[in-house]
Amino acid sequence: MTSRTKYAGARISGLLALAVLFVFILGCASAAESYTAQTMRLLHYEGTVEIEDPTGKPRFVMENARFASGEAMRTGAASIASVSLDGSKIITLDAESRVEFLKEANHMQLTLTQGTLLLDVQDKLDENETLDIQTSTMTVGIRGTVVYLTADNATEGVGRQTVLGVLEGTAQITYQDDHGARRLLDVPAGRQARVPMDGPRDAERIISDIKAGDIPGFVIKTTESDPALYQRVSPVLESLPGQEESAPGTAGAYAADGDWTWSGEVTLIAQSASKMYDGQPLTRSSDVLVSGLPNDFSIQVAAWGSQTDAGASDNQVRQYSIYNAAGENVTSHFSHIETVAGRLTVDPAPLTIWTGSASKHYDGEPLVNPEVELRTVPGYERDQRPWRNTAYVSSASHASQSLYSLSGVMWVHGTNPITGANSEIQLYAGQMMTVYLNSEGDAQSITYKIDQVTEENLPEEALRLLADNPELLAQACADAGWDAALLAARIAALPGTETARVRRSGLSVSQAAADQLMTDNTDVRITIDSQITNYSGRPLGTDEAHFTPVRLSENIKVTATGSQTEVGESLNTYEIDWGGIDPGNFVITEELGTLTVLPAKAEVHDEPVTLTAGSASKVYDGEPLTNGDVTVSGLPDGYSLTATVTGSRTDAGVSENIVTSYRIYDGHHADVTSSFTNVTTENGTLTVEPLRISMNLGGTPVVYSGSLYIPSAFLTYENGSHAGETIPGVKSGAKSDAASVRRAALEAVYRFILFTGDVARLTVTGAEADAGVYTLTGEVSFVSGSAASFEVTFTGTAMTIAPRELIITTGSAEKPYDGTPLTQTEVKVEGLAEGDAVTVTATGTITDVGTAENTCAIDWGATDP
């Protein structure tokens, strides 16, 4: 009894005013398989079983049938069914029971609407998984255990209760006692929790031992048919006590005047809350969590704290009293009571100060505009139609809330108390917003989900509101695009009601719905409880998320103070009287109008005025040609003019230079353009002449060398700013002639980089190696630049190759006459080109006394003589 349980302070919401949460805690969780539509299936059934799709329509039933989120299963009389949520979680339904399945990612919710179920979770869930079972009075959080749960919803009268039995593992429950305190107690295996739907909750023990007759027969039968399951729960089943009466109460042992002290730690945790500043105090005195208080005692406890202005303060546990079973105050006997404060946070509200604009021509009097407004959102318009912004807050299943926009647009502000992030959402007519709690890893977040609303899914109260207010009905149909005939049919089919109706702000609405209606208001605040149920993937309930309009205090007065007399403009400034309200409660945005004084109205000028755009010309140089000059004729003295000319020409050719706009000013430099009614414009021309270039192929006579003669190439500018300049070409490549060993190439390619930034390529053909007179051919292409911007001529295309001088020398010889011929075979050849070869043979001879030339014979072979 002296152990202490720490609690994170999660807040629970349910369908009834009294809500109980059972959260099972089994230490560190191991990895578990995620919930998917592929793993949730019907294992086995006997008797009559129905599966309903999300719309409530029955569908085909067979073993191994898969379940999807939003579907439900119902068993008939003398029937049973088992469903595998995944490989390690099995739920079994008793006869005449019904359960709904909802899932999102790793989060599963089972709603037991009637009957009894047995849940077997063989492996502990990991920290990112949640598995909840909901009934009308409790939410059961599962980590890994074997439990049975009975929801006695069908019967009426005294004795209705929800019963949770734990056959394996440990549970921690939270429930609200008759004094409004929320209690936290442990439920180990072998114990059960009985929560009555009606009647007192302090007159009997909520937690008690499971007795032999308490466990439903269907649970006994199911566990005995599964040896592995029975082995896990047998320690509890085999040690159950009989049906003897409970031991008498122990109130006497803990009498107020007794000599006893409770040294166990009792923790009282005040709750937190937040909202946007609205001038009303933020408090949260109820829902104090109580941990560690034994079963034999009850407690009355309240928190005290208040925050009105923007800021934060503590919500302190200020008052508590502990009573024994006899109702005596025994607070003094508890020696260790710890209180934990919550936090009350008020965020500044957005406030826009708007002033009107105005303009006039100078008349010597101040220009003012008294229009001024305080707005809580942007986009507000003066003199809007009636019913401009109307929304309705509706409670959906599981006490969640949705905001239905019926006409106009709503600006919705939300602050996530978990992360502190702010959101601003525009909700248009025909849309609904629901606030969801989600988990991302180990962190929780708030999601604002927007869905489209059709004529078929409008809530009944909204239909009654439309029925009683035809103007709103017409406006809603116009804004949301709803079919008036379909709405009329739904309205006609509504069941009768005797609910009294009241008039509020011109609206006819039931008293129950009066506080849920937001009309003629564009700004809505989502207030989210900072302590929320530890279950993700579900819409937040009415105790956790609230849609409230943000309204400004009538004590705040603002006055427009701007004034402009002389020609010019200034902001329409303001003064504000906060009426005792702290300005720090608002985040101010200014939307100030402009006061503009124009020059006195000018007289009308119908005399002709001509604006002529300038012309220009040049030789192509790669740069655009422009001329922004404008000449004007006919403009009266004392007036001036500015004009914009549009025109540009880069490549050779002609284009127009156009006057595209102009402004005429009077002597005060006031714009009087509209006073001139007879203004014409004339276009100029922009002319770019081609750049003339000549290419010299270097046709200078040369002497035969034995190789292909490749001439040098030069480019000369013939006109423009670089006229007379010559640049050499850079040889960039040649094609080989495989058929001729002596020739290096048949064509040569030259590259010229022009001053314009363009690149020209010259391909020269017709080059030869042998002596003779030849004509070269040049072809020009442009790697960059337009060929139309150039005119190209060629010079030096005639090429002469002169023959090479060849010197042949034969040797000399002499001898006395001996009657035999005298010869000399020595021959010397000079002047052959590289690669050429000839064969020379000395042929001279003399026999008689005398002198003769030593002649020779030449064999040219492959060499051209």
Side-chain angles (χ1 to χ4, degrees), residues 98-143:
R98 182 179 182 275
V99 67
E100 298 172 355
F101 301 87
L102 292 174
K103 73 169 187 65
E104 181 178 342
N106 291 337
H107 311 298
M108 168 68 70
Q109 175 180 308
L110 308 176
T111 301
L112 181 64
T113 58
Q114 69 179 55
T116 303
L117 64 79
L118 173 67
L119 177 64
D120 176 13
V121 180
Q122 301 167 10
D123 296 329
K124 298 174 183 177
L125 279 67
D126 65 29
E127 295 184 356
N128 292 327
E129 277 188 294
T130 60
L131 172 56
D132 291 353
I133 308 175
Q134 289 212 357
T135 69
S136 61
T137 60
M138 70 171 67
T139 298
V140 183
I142 301 297
R143 299 306 300 170

Side-chain angles (χ1 to χ4, degrees), residues 468-487:
D468 291 341
N469 298 275
E471 291 181 0
L472 174 59
L473 175 59
Q475 192 64 60
C477 290
D479 291 350
W482 289 329
D483 188 327
L486 290 179
L487 287 179

